[in-house]
Amino acid sequence: MNRGSAELSRPGWRRNVLCVVLEIATLFLSVRPLVCAGSAGTGAVEVAAQPAGDTTNLVGKTAPAFVLRNLGGMYRSLGDWCYTGEEKAGKPRNVVVLDFFSVDCEPCKREMTNFLSVAAEFKGKGALFFVVCTDPPSREDDVRKLVETMKIDCDVLCDSYRVAFDRFGLERIPRTVVVGKNRKILGVIAGAHDDFEKTLRDTVSSAVSGK
């Protein structure tokens, strides 16, 4: 059996097919404009005049399940990295950090350098960092260009119809969500401010050490 056949025969292929069907179905749904804090956004991004409450209302809650496609075409599930109950053999639990951004959001771009710096510090130390793109499929080429320009070396997930964004109850971008190994939300950080890097580093450090 070749590698392609082996991949298709795994139990997860049904989930992947379902994700494709759902993604196609959402083509018929309208996507509301995103709100980007602190910058004169363009395109599908609007400017936020006041701070949102999504950075505090989510802490302590169980992170919602999601499955998203990455830029390489593979589907990723939050449950693959963090989950409740006993740790499963061959499936170690990790802290998961999700950075929601848009290519038209200038604060997102300013934040990205700090996000990548913290991600590099925790590489191989029990924390997985992901960049979550909230742009529609028509902007995927722009996303790829940005990934190359900014040298983003984290896995980039495509939340093209903001399924994960909405399930987390987020209101604006940039937002960075830190999920503990037991899938509890430990922090939702508004990016593009002076304390972002320190806040993210401290939150991830505490999550990894179990404090």
Side-chain angles (χ1 to χ4, degrees):
M1 179 182 294
N2 59 36
R3 182 178 178 181
S5 299
E7 288 290 336
L8 188 61
S9 66
R10 293 177 181 174
W13 74 268
R14 294 183 179 85
R15 181 186 68 187
N16 292 349
V17 171
L18 177 60
C19 291
V20 172
V21 172
L22 290 174
E23 189 166 335
I24 293 174
T26 53
L27 285 170
F28 299 98
L29 301 177
S30 60
V31 179
R32 72 184 188 282
L34 268 178
V35 180
C36 181
S39 172
T42 59
V45 179
E46 295 182 343
V47 181
Q50 299 295 331
D54 60 0
T55 57
T56 57
N57 296 339
L58 304 175
V59 175
K61 296 182 179 180
T62 299
F66 68 78
V67 180
L68 296 175
R69 176 179 58 85
N70 68 9
L71 286 178
M74 299 294 293
Y75 285 88
R76 307 297 193 192
S77 168
L78 181 63
D80 290 338
W81 312 307
C82 55
Y83 49 89
T84 59
E86 295 293 327
E87 187 165 276
K88 302 171 185 177
K91 191 178 180 181
R93 280 191 290 232
N94 290 273
V95 172
V96 173
V97 186
L98 306 165
D99 188 49
F100 290 84
F101 89 110
S102 166
V103 293
D104 288 326
C105 172
E106 290 304 321
C108 298
K109 296 174 187 177
R110 294 200 301 270
E111 169 207 83
M112 188 61 67
T113 300
N114 302 121
F115 176 83
L116 295 175
S117 176
V118 176
E121 290 179 30
F122 286 93
K123 188 173 183 178
K125 297 180 181 179
L128 302 176
F129 288 70
F130 299 88
V131 173
V132 185
C133 169
T134 57
D135 295 287
S138 61
R139 303 298 305 278
E140 194 163 304
D141 285 344
D142 294 327
V143 174
R144 293 180 185 277
K145 290 176 183 176
L146 184 66
V147 168
E148 182 177 354
T149 300
M150 299 197 71
K151 296 180 171 58
I152 298 174
D153 54 1
C154 299
D155 202 0
V156 178
L157 307 179
C158 301
D159 192 15
S160 303
Y161 305 99
R162 299 171 201 159
V163 174
F165 184 86
D166 286 342
R167 287 184 179 178
F168 274 100
L170 301 177
E171 299 172 6
R172 298 172 186 175
I173 54 173
R175 288 292 184 267
T176 303
V177 181
V178 180
V179 182
K181 297 178 182 181
N182 61 353
R183 245 180 81 181
K184 293 293 184 181
I185 298 174
L186 302 178
V188 181
I189 306 166
H193 61 77
D194 293 341
D195 295 330
F196 170 77
E197 185 171 347
K198 181 180 185 305
T199 302
L200 178 59
R201 180 182 294 107
D202 291 348
T203 304
V204 175
S205 179
S206 295
V208 170
S209 63
K211 295 180 181 179

